[in-house]
Amino acid sequence: MTLRTLAFGSLLLLLATSLFAAENYSVKVERGVSVKMRDGVILRADIFRPDTEGKFPVLLQRTPYRRAVTWGYDVDFAQRAASHGYVVFLQDVRGRYTSDGEWYPFLHESEDGYDTIEWIAAQPYSDGRVGMFGGSYVGATQLLAAIAHPPHLAGICPIVTASDYHNGWTYQGGAFEQWFNESWTSGLAQDTLTRQIERTPSPPEEVNVLPLTAYPIFNPNPASVINVSASTIAPYFLDWLAHPSYDDYWRRWSIEEHYADIRVPALHVAAWYDIFLGGSLRNYIGLKARAASAETRNGQHLLVTIGGHAGDGRKIGEVDFGPEAKKFNEGEVTLHWYDFLFKGTRNEFATGKAVKIFVMGIDQWRDEDEWPLARAKSTKYFLHSQGQANTGRGNGSLSTLAPGPEPSDEFVYDPAKPVPTIGGPLCCDSDHLAPGPRDQRSVEERDDVLVYSTPPLAHDLEVTGPVRLEFFAASSVVDTDFTAKLLDVAPDGTAINLTEGILRVRYRDSQATPAPLIRGQPYLLSIDLWATSNVFRTGHGLRLELSSSNFPRFDRNLNTGKLAANSATWVKATNSILHDTAHPSALILPVVP
């Protein structure tokens, strides 16, 4: 364990006992405070503030999840922060719970965020500095407010959130993120339904007990039969389905296209098994590269923990990440960030190290100067086989040696029998589909899963940074998907997923302009597996799983070029992976010396 690792761990441990020692105010709470938006709509909030005269920095959370019990934060956080010398402002966003207006994700968050921030800054208890905090969609409310650059926004802390609401929120690699989209929307739809019932004069009794299953959730058929109720309780879901390509519908909300408009320091918190890992990392990288001023660029910090939406604590999924994993506490880190920004506290954010990551395998925290790591060496692990890489019992292998003359691997992808999702970066229904790191060997029994592995390693090997698969493939159909997973294989055979990705092949060149395949023609394709940080210990092995489905995390490609949302016809695809002298398919890993 390094001195830097010990320092970070010690700071986190001391934080719980010393954070509030300097200030300990009694707290005054105001409930249901009304704030009028520019179009006259009233949003409501609770305010927690020190019960004393004076002006204080304000921490704002704008949430669609009910302000009294928000995702990852609650009233206890607000009480503690207020006692520590902050005003905490918890607001229901437009159309949610106590706030007026109609709910539509992303639509009003820039303007409403701007108006709320400027209203707060004008209050007598505010010192004019407003910081925002929270995770998931609450991270989106921060970034969307920041691109409107309200004058009194002084910092943000977006936790496990996206950089773009097409690629990385609703779609990934062109595939519809079915499990997340349907489970997240289901939870949101309940409040919308309740509000509609309350506005209905003398609603019939059966409406009051209308089950949420009236919405087309987790439809097992390739064609989702969209119930008419979706058009009233979740019209945005139908809009998402109507815009599978990146177009002007999505462009208006893209954070990536507006990095130059963000003018505040930010602590970006990501997680290796989080559904928004890719976006969290892109936000940090994008702002470092494209922010309009050096002050904003230098004010970006990145913290990467383990689970995010997949869970927190020491054990996530089926893996125990040891005592160091317990040292991350979201609320405490948030307060420490604003102590650094607003109070000048010399804590871990003042060390000059902008990046902190949890390194799996050795299960330790580590400080870094940048992300990605400049010292990591991009290394190609080429795919090899004798034409029978199917299943974990096949002859697929990975090696840094380039391939010679080798037969291709082939499998049949049947949309009626997709490869099931086992763990991974999932949200938001762990009761029905458990997320996180889990043994993948049951999937590797299938003939439609190709498996490529290294021999057991003779020494530890660290892989930290972006992961990508560049491969040559051909298909018997005009469109299909390819999926990929990087795994750590233990000496006992346990195969734990680290990171994964998907490509809907008609979007191989552009998320905006789909193009069909020419049947049988080989194409050079690329799958973004986002990133990881893992030490493969001596005796462990690296493994790549390659297939054409990961359901229900992603919707199934029907292999016809038509959408699963409105088509009931599908065909089987015969998909081939080429790996020979002319087609050197490779998993590209950032190896740390």
Side-chain angles (χ1 to χ4, degrees):
M1 183 178 293
T2 66
L3 289 175
R4 288 185 299 176
T5 298
L6 284 168
F8 179 53
S10 298
L11 278 167
L12 288 177
L13 284 174
L14 289 171
L15 192 55
T17 57
S18 65
L19 185 59
F20 306 107
E23 299 168 285
N24 189 20
Y25 297 100
S26 59
V27 177
K28 179 180 180 179
V29 182
E30 299 176 64
R31 303 282 185 183
V33 175
S34 297
V35 183
K36 183 181 289 188
M37 300 296 100
R38 64 188 68 182
D39 61 356
V41 170
I42 300 296
L43 307 187
R44 294 177 177 84
D46 295 338
I47 303 174
F48 298 73
R49 58 189 178 92
D51 189 11
T52 185
E53 296 297 321
K55 295 179 180 291
F56 300 90
V58 180
L59 304 183
L60 166 64
Q61 182 181 83
R62 305 190 61 252
T63 178
Y65 304 125
R66 191 193 301 267
R67 66 178 187 269
V69 186
T70 55
W71 188 91
Y73 291 93
D74 54 19
V75 171
D76 178 62
F77 171 83
Q79 290 276 2
R80 291 190 301 146
S83 73
H84 187 55
Y86 292 97
V87 175
V88 181
F89 199 90
L90 305 180
Q91 183 184 65
D92 290 329
V93 300
R94 181 182 296 239
R96 300 297 294 166
Y97 296 98
T98 64
S99 288
D100 297 342
E102 299 299 322
W103 161 248
Y104 194 104
F106 317 119
L107 180 60
H108 299 285
E109 306 304 358
S110 286
E111 293 84 357
D112 289 354
Y114 184 107
D115 293 351
T116 300
I117 290 163
E118 294 309 297
W119 185 93
I120 290 171
Q123 301 311 301
Y125 49 73
S126 170
D127 71 0
R129 294 174 297 170
V130 179
M132 300 182 75
F133 68 98
S136 195
Y137 188 87
V138 184
T141 65
Q142 298 177 61
L143 292 162
L144 288 165
I147 65 176
H149 44 81
H152 291 92
L153 182 63
I156 57 176
C157 184
I159 297 172
V160 291
T161 196
S163 60
D164 182 274
Y165 305 116
H166 174 261
N167 186 34
W169 185 286
T170 310
Y171 292 83
Q172 183 178 328
F176 190 66
E177 294 205 50
Q178 183 168 342
W179 182 263
F180 168 67
N181 293 332
E182 293 187 346
S183 59
W184 186 65
T185 302
S186 296
L188 295 168
Q190 188 63 64
D191 177 59
T192 304
L193 178 61
T194 300
R195 292 161 69 97
Q196 290 181 1
I197 291 171
E198 291 173 349
R199 292 198 297 258
T200 303
S202 302
E205 184 176 350
E206 61 270 19
V207 174
N208 284 287
V209 295
L210 179 67
L212 199 55
T213 51
Y215 188 63
I217 305 306
F218 313 134
N219 192 320
N221 298 315
S224 295
V225 181
I226 304 300
N227 191 289
V228 68
S229 63
S231 65
T232 58
I233 64 174
Y236 48 88
F237 185 88
L238 302 184
D239 291 341
W240 296 345
L241 291 172
H243 294 270
S245 302
Y246 185 69
D247 57 17
D248 287 344
Y249 173 84
W250 300 106
R251 191 168 286 111
R252 56 182 165 167
W253 298 316
S254 174
I255 304 302
E256 294 182 24
E257 294 198 12
H258 293 279
Y259 285 140
D261 294 317
I262 296 178
R263 303 174 182 177
V264 295
L267 170 60
H268 306 271
V269 180
W272 299 126
Y273 286 96
D274 187 70
I275 190 172
F276 303 131
L277 169 65
S280 296
L281 296 176
R282 284 193 294 272
N283 283 333
Y284 173 76
I285 295 168
L287 279 165
K288 291 287 285 187
R290 293 167 50 195
S293 71
E295 182 180 10
T296 301
R297 286 194 297 274
N298 295 333
Q300 305 306 306
H301 289 249
L302 175 66
L303 172 62
V304 189
T305 182
I306 310 166
H309 287 86
D312 56 14
R314 174 171 175 160
K315 185 176 182 183
I316 300 169
E318 297 174 348
V319 176
D320 185 337
F321 288 96
E324 290 290 308
K326 297 174 64 177
K327 294 179 180 179
F328 170 73
N329 180 286
E330 194 173 298
E332 291 166 357
V333 167
T334 299
L335 281 173
H336 225 201
W337 168 243
Y338 283 112
D339 281 352
F340 165 70
L341 277 188
F342 291 167
K343 300 186 178 185
T345 304
R346 303 298 295 176
N347 56 30
E348 74 268 30
F349 296 111
T351 64
K353 297 290 185 179
V355 177
K356 291 175 172 58
I357 62 175
F358 188 88
V359 183
M360 300 180 290
I362 57 173
D363 298 337
Q364 294 179 5
W365 293 97
R366 193 169 70 204
D367 292 348
E368 296 288 353
D369 293 314
E370 76 279 302
W371 181 270
L373 309 188
R375 69 183 185 279
K377 181 180 179 182
S378 180
T379 305
K380 290 186 176 182
Y381 280 78
F382 294 98
L383 280 61
H384 299 274
S385 82
Q386 295 305 310
Q388 296 176 329
N390 312 71
T391 80
R393 301 181 303 277
N395 55 29
S397 65
L398 288 175
S399 165
T400 55
L401 298 176
E406 295 181 10
S408 62
D409 291 305
E410 186 176 284
F411 64 93
V412 175
Y413 160 51
D414 182 356
K417 301 175 182 179
V419 177
T421 298
I422 298 179
L426 299 171
C427 178
C428 302
D429 185 357
S430 58
D431 289 340
H432 291 95
L433 192 58
R438 297 184 182 275
D439 192 350
Q440 303 293 308
R441 282 180 290 181
S442 62
V443 164
E444 295 171 357
E445 294 294 314
R446 296 175 58 109
D447 287 337
D448 56 354
V449 177
L450 305 180
V451 179
Y452 303 89
S453 307
T454 66
L457 298 172
H459 54 79
D460 287 0
L461 177 71
E462 180 179 337
V463 173
T464 294
V467 178
R468 187 171 79 258
L469 175 65
E470 290 188 354
F471 64 111
F472 293 85
S475 182
S476 63
V477 294
V478 296
D479 185 47
T480 193
D481 288 352
F482 287 103
T483 62
K485 291 181 185 177
L486 172 65
L487 302 95
D488 184 330
V489 183
D492 67 359
T494 304
I496 296 295
N497 51 306
L498 293 171
T499 190
E500 60 190 55
I502 190 169
L503 174 66
R504 184 143 293 173
V505 184
R506 65 176 177 266
Y507 292 107
R508 62 194 177 277
D509 298 321
S510 169
Q511 291 288 310
T513 307
L517 296 172
I518 298 174
R519 293 180 176 89
Q521 176 175 310
Y523 291 86
L524 174 59
L525 304 174
S526 179
I527 298 178
D528 182 1
L529 280 74
W530 290 352
T532 194
S533 179
N534 186 71
V535 174
F536 294 82
R537 304 306 298 262
T538 300
H540 287 232
L542 290 75
R543 177 169 291 172
L544 169 70
E545 288 179 7
L546 201 162
S547 190
S548 285
S549 51
N550 183 353
F551 181 80
R553 185 184 174 200
F554 301 107
D555 72 329
R556 288 163 290 185
N557 195 316
L558 304 183
N559 299 324
T560 63
K562 296 183 179 180
L563 302 179
N566 52 30
S567 178
T569 302
W570 70 91
V571 297
K572 296 179 182 180
T574 299
N575 293 333
S576 301
I577 305 300
L578 293 76
H579 45 80
D580 53 38
T581 306
H583 306 95
S585 296
L587 180 65
I588 303 174
L589 301 177
V591 174
V592 177

